[in-house]
Amino acid sequence: DQTQLVYAPGNRMTWAQTGSKQVAVVGMDEKRAFTLLVSVAADGTILPFQAIFQGKTKLSLPAASSPNYDDAMKAGFKFEFSGTKTYWSNQETMRAF
C-alpha cells in the first residue's frame, strides 16, 4: 500500500504585533511530503519500507547525517528519488522496490 506523509511544521507558533491584520505561520504556506510504500509478503513477512521523495538526484534524499538515518538503514528502509517534480510512486520506483 502507498500513503502520503506530510512533514509537520514545528510548533506552529508565531509572533506579530498586536493589531496585525495578517500573521504568517512558519511552514504553513509550503507543503513538504513524501510517499511511503508499505508491503507484506504472502507469508506475513513485513517487507522493508520504501520512501519516495520529489527530485531527480540523490540530493533529494535524506542525508546520512539526518537523525535516525542509521536506524532506518539497519531496518532496511529504501530511499528513492522519484525522478520527477512529484513525490509520487511511478514505474521506476516500483521496479527499484
Side-chain angles (χ1 to χ4, degrees):
D1 198 8
Q2 299 175 14
T3 189
Q4 173 193 38
L5 296 174
V6 178
Y7 297 109
N11 55 17
R12 297 184 184 217
M13 296 180 75
T14 190
W15 179 90
Q17 290 185 330
T18 302
S20 296
K21 299 286 185 195
Q22 187 170 351
V23 177
V25 179
V26 175
M28 294 301 292
D29 56 345
E30 183 176 319
K31 180 174 137 185
R32 299 279 184 204
F34 64 96
T35 296
L36 186 67
L37 178 69
V38 181
S39 300
V40 178
D43 68 358
T45 302
I46 297 172
L47 301 174
F49 292 172
Q50 181 191 46
I52 303 162
F53 297 86
Q54 173 186 344
K56 297 184 179 185
T57 70
K58 290 185 178 193
L59 294 175
S60 304
L61 305 177
S65 59
S66 298
N68 301 311
Y69 182 89
D70 290 335
D71 294 333
M73 292 297 102
K74 287 177 189 170
F77 282 36
K78 299 181 182 309
F79 294 142
E80 302 284 343
F81 55 88
S82 68
T84 69
K85 293 182 180 181
T86 73
Y87 50 85
W88 301 335
S89 181
N90 56 49
Q91 275 296 344
E92 292 303 316
T93 60
M94 292 297 288
R95 286 184 184 135
F97 181 71

